[in-house]
Amino acid sequence: MSTPDVDVDVNQNQNQNKNVKAEDILCPLAEYEECDFSKLLEKPRLLNIDRQRSLDERSLSELSIGISPRHATRAIDLNSSRFFEQLDSICSPLGRRSGFSTPRSQIGFDPHPMVAEAWEALRRSLVYFRGQPVGTIAALDTTEENLNYDQVFVRDFVPSALAFLMNGEPEIVKNFILKTLRLQSWEKKIDRFQLGEGVMPASFKVLHDPVRNNETLIADFGESAIGRVAPVDSGFWWIILLRAYTKSTGDTSLAELPECQKGMRLILSLCLSEGFDTFPTLLCADGCCMIDRRMGVYGYPIEIQALFFMALRCALLLLKQDDEGKEFIERIVKRLHALSYHMRSYFWLDLKQLNDIYRFKTEEYSHTAVNKFNVMPDSLPEWVFDFMPVYGGYFIGNVSPARMDFRWFCLGNCIAILSSLATPEQSTAIMDLIESRWEELVGEMPLKVCYPAMETHEWRIITGCDPKNTRWSYHNGGSWPVLLWLLTAACVKTGRPQIARRAIEIAEARLLKDHWPEYYDGKLGRYIGKQSRKAQTWSIAGYLVAKMMLEDPSHLGMIAIEEDKQMKPILRRSNSWTL
């Protein structure tokens, strides 16, 4: 087994939870290969502008709402040859408005007093190794037993990383990427069984030994996790974060390092391997993602499929065109085409598709079968008929033989929008659903991790009588403030900022007063979770990212990818796609 990182000088690590100095960096919004804004404007859509135009179909003069006044008056000509020079100018540090000194926003709200409190709390959560910040601790709640909340989680750090990138502080993100990359190379064994070489850790912690005066990094690849499940999502989040760092800083040298290129290839080798599966989706166990307990998401959960899709698209932009890189690029392109078709065709649900499933015939055989997965119409849950609005739709939780999980999962649907797994029409329908079912999905605290909750016999069978995942609690219909940043990003991308603004205002009424809980309980998210940690770092960071992205929509460029027209299949139009 590889030897852990050890440093003999630990004195400088004392009292280092202090502010990290911001560095001035350039912030290019998007490369031409990823998004040609001018072409998107060639054929304007005859739709209600406020509700239907996506972020990248709108002129940059409209997007100046979050940019400092000295830049807001600049007219941007999208057809000009100097378009990207002007865009880089707007995204320069002089145009930044994030952080402690955020001035009055031009989009309808003042900087809330809790923004400064949130930044102070986020900086207190910094974890140092060898004198450098390498991540943020999961929670700083001193009133509860630590368990593993004193560790740096890969998925938890993502909103923290985005907050630091948006505030012009990329060094901590770079340190985190390199440190987790080194942990990936460690030998990983659980009960004498060796995990795949490319598995990224779920979390790590810094152990201080005052006697020997050294520090050691300890990683968890699932061997200590509840349920002992290795994280499938960590590798995907790592690739997504590497791309966000590259987009935010304009620095391609990190991604081009041989170690980073190898790290991406190892992750891709795991998920692109050929086997017995006839689907392009990834087969996963319960507990492999944010929902890290038994919740019936085994099979092909939407969260993993959406993250898989986004990580593949990010890797396509980051891999070098050398011999090894070209091989993976070819495999990625093939998989993306198959995955996008499969997800858009079989995971998508709207009123028309629901009615089609309701009328399915069973026991169909051959290539002409309509009910390809042999789903029994009697298995349709009663709640879904009332939940589905006339205009709206979403990607359901799971599709596998004779099984469709019709639950709504927030993270998977938001990532589907940001990665363009969802078509523009589907993205619009998802936002329509959120607006139509506001009480159910947002209520008094954004945002339901899934809907609806499982109860009684179903809860006993599927969760194994999990006392933490009782109805409307934790992962079983609980409300998670961290999801606010994902909702906001999806709102900005679809041109619906008013939805995000409303959700943020709801969160601001309680989050600070409640000491930044991990999650809320109840149908409306009215109660602080019964086992919820306070001072939860990703609740803090999620709020900050949402605020900064709404103030300056150009931040979306680091986390969103535009649609690849070549992957767009010919799909039947449903009534929820036409307003």
Side-chain angles (χ1 to χ4, degrees):
M1 181 176 290
S2 302
T3 305
D5 290 310
V6 177
D7 187 78
V8 294
D9 184 10
V10 73
N11 293 328
Q12 59 183 319
N13 290 286
Q14 305 302 320
N15 300 320
Q16 287 181 335
N17 284 321
K18 56 187 178 181
N19 294 353
V20 180
K21 213 171 199 179
E23 297 179 6
D24 289 338
I25 55 172
L26 292 179
C27 174
L29 174 61
E31 306 297 339
Y32 182 83
E33 292 80 1
E34 293 180 51
C35 176
D36 186 352
F37 289 85
S38 60
K39 287 186 177 181
L40 288 171
L41 290 172
E42 288 176 358
K43 297 180 180 179
R45 299 162 62 192
L46 300 176
L47 297 172
N48 182 309
I49 291 178
D50 288 337
R51 289 172 54 81
Q52 301 301 329
R53 285 195 296 169
S54 74
L55 167 71
D56 299 315
E57 291 177 288
R58 303 165 70 187
S59 71
L60 262 291
S61 59
E62 289 180 76
L63 295 183
S64 66
I65 52 178
I67 303 168
S68 61
R70 64 189 295 252
H71 292 294
T73 56
R74 294 190 197 177
I76 301 297
D77 182 3
L78 293 175
N79 295 312
S80 167
S81 60
R82 295 184 61 251
F83 165 65
F84 288 101
E85 295 178 23
Q86 298 175 73
L87 189 58
D88 286 346
S89 172
I90 279 187
C91 288
S92 71
L94 293 176
R96 291 188 185 278
R97 303 191 315 103
S98 305
F100 285 110
S101 58
T102 304
R104 181 181 177 86
S105 170
Q106 298 179 29
I107 60 176
F109 55 76
D110 295 327
H112 200 280
M114 64 190 276
V115 169
E117 297 275 359
W119 271 113
E120 290 177 7
L122 182 61
R123 296 190 191 284
R124 286 196 301 270
S125 72
L126 284 170
V127 173
Y128 289 81
F129 180 73
R130 296 184 176 181
Q132 293 185 326
V134 293
T136 50
I137 200 171
L140 281 171
D141 190 352
T142 57
T143 64
E144 298 283 347
E145 182 185 358
N146 274 336
L147 295 178
N148 57 357
Y149 284 81
D150 62 345
Q151 300 184 26
V152 179
F153 281 82
V154 173
R155 77 174 67 94
D156 291 41
F157 180 67
V158 171
S160 296
L162 295 177
F164 285 118
L165 287 174
M166 291 177 181
N167 203 43
E169 302 177 60
E171 196 61 31
I172 180 178
V173 182
K174 183 177 182 179
N175 294 340
F176 172 86
I177 289 171
L178 292 174
K179 195 56 61 180
T180 47
L181 182 64
R182 182 166 184 177
L183 294 174
Q184 182 197 37
S185 66
W186 286 12
E187 185 180 64
K188 302 172 276 284
K189 280 188 177 181
I190 299 178
D191 292 337
R192 302 181 183 181
F193 181 75
Q194 187 160 320
L195 276 67
E197 190 179 0
V199 174
M200 278 286 180
S203 63
F204 66 87
K205 68 184 300 182
V206 179
L207 290 183
H208 302 268
D209 187 344
V211 177
R212 297 182 179 180
N213 197 33
N214 64 19
E215 290 181 326
T216 306
L217 275 184
I218 302 295
D220 176 18
F221 293 92
E223 69 271 26
S224 301
I226 295 173
R228 301 302 188 265
V229 177
V232 177
D233 62 338
S234 289
F236 298 151
W237 279 123
W238 186 87
I239 293 176
I240 292 167
L241 188 56
L242 178 60
R243 187 252 179 187
Y245 171 88
T246 305
K247 292 291 297 178
S248 174
T249 63
D251 175 18
T252 61
S253 62
L254 178 61
E256 290 175 353
L257 286 175
E259 295 83 0
C260 282
Q261 292 287 311
K262 181 182 178 182
M264 280 190 287
R265 292 196 300 268
L266 288 175
I267 295 169
L268 295 170
S269 294
L270 282 177
C271 56
L272 292 176
S273 59
E274 298 172 348
F276 291 99
D277 210 329
T278 58
F279 310 140
T281 41
L282 278 183
L283 183 63
C284 300
D286 252 334
C288 65
C289 53
M290 176 184 174
I291 298 177
D292 59 1
R293 301 166 77 92
R294 179 178 169 186
M295 268 287 291
V297 299
Y298 62 89
Y300 305 92
I302 179 61
E303 177 175 335
I304 290 297
Q305 312 316 319
L307 286 171
F308 180 30
F309 184 88
M310 189 167 193
L312 289 179
R313 294 207 63 193
C314 289
L316 201 57
L317 300 167
L318 296 171
L319 285 170
K320 296 175 70 173
Q321 293 278 350
D322 52 22
D323 291 340
E324 291 179 298
K326 285 181 179 178
E327 177 191 347
F328 277 94
I329 288 171
E330 291 176 1
R331 294 169 67 184
I332 289 172
V333 170
K334 290 179 181 178
R335 190 62 167 264
L336 281 172
H337 278 79
L339 184 60
S340 62
Y341 177 83
H342 184 91
M343 297 297 295
R344 292 168 179 176
S345 300
Y346 304 126
F347 274 67
W348 180 252
L349 187 72
D350 56 22
L351 190 60
K352 184 182 184 303
Q353 180 68 5
L354 179 60
N355 199 85
D356 289 344
I357 297 172
Y358 178 70
R359 292 169 51 83
F360 266 172
K361 293 180 174 61
T362 59
E363 308 302 327
E364 293 183 301
Y365 184 76
S366 85
H367 296 288
T368 61
V370 176
N371 185 1
K372 295 187 177 182
F373 299 95
N374 199 35
V375 174
M376 307 299 164
D378 288 344
S379 68
L380 282 164
E382 291 185 8
W383 64 265
V384 74
F385 294 99
D386 294 327
F387 181 70
M388 181 61 67
V390 175
Y391 301 112
Y394 64 103
F395 289 98
I396 63 174
N398 223 314
V399 176
S400 55
R403 176 184 180 229
M404 297 182 81
D405 182 351
F406 291 92
R407 284 176 294 175
W408 151 271
F409 288 89
C410 178
L411 193 153
N413 276 273
C414 288
I415 291 293
I417 292 175
L418 296 177
S419 65
S420 291
L421 170 59
T423 65
E425 296 85 0
Q426 288 172 334
S427 297
T428 294
I430 292 171
M431 302 311 297
D432 286 342
L433 177 88
I434 293 174
E435 280 198 303
S436 298
R437 298 292 175 256
W438 187 264
E439 287 298 306
E440 292 91 337
L441 302 180
V442 180
E444 297 183 20
M445 177 54 66
L447 196 66
K448 287 289 180 220
V449 65
C450 73
Y451 180 90
M454 292 180 289
E455 304 182 65
T456 59
H457 181 67
E458 184 185 27
W459 166 77
R460 287 191 289 270
I461 295 297
I462 294 181
T463 73
C465 300
D466 188 346
K468 195 167 186 178
N469 271 330
T470 54
R471 64 177 185 172
W472 307 113
S473 180
Y474 203 49
H475 297 136
N476 190 15
S479 299
W480 292 70
V482 63
L483 298 172
L484 195 59
W485 81 265
L486 285 158
L487 174 67
T488 301
C491 289
V492 172
K493 189 170 189 287
T494 54
R496 310 276 276 271
Q498 72 279 3
I499 298 178
R501 193 175 306 124
R502 183 181 174 192
I504 289 173
E505 288 172 354
I506 292 173
E508 285 178 335
R510 297 186 58 193
L511 268 180
L512 180 59
K513 181 177 65 176
D514 294 340
H515 305 292
W516 308 101
E518 179 185 15
Y519 66 94
Y520 286 78
D521 286 351
K523 271 192 174 183
L524 298 177
R526 181 172 294 173
Y527 309 101
I528 297 174
K530 59 189 175 187
Q531 295 188 43
S532 179
R533 294 301 193 278
K534 301 291 184 69
Q536 186 78 18
T537 302
W538 70 352
S539 296
I540 298 165
Y543 166 73
L544 286 172
V545 172
K547 289 286 284 188
M548 287 190 281
M549 194 171 295
L550 203 54
E551 287 180 350
D552 185 353
S554 68
H555 287 314
L556 181 69
M558 73 174 72
I559 198 63
I561 304 178
E562 280 309 296
E563 183 181 25
D564 184 343
K565 299 300 190 293
Q566 294 181 350
M567 285 192 297
K568 189 172 184 178
I570 300 175
L571 298 176
R572 293 175 299 171
R573 295 183 66 84
S574 88
N575 58 355
S576 70
W577 290 7
T578 306
L579 296 180

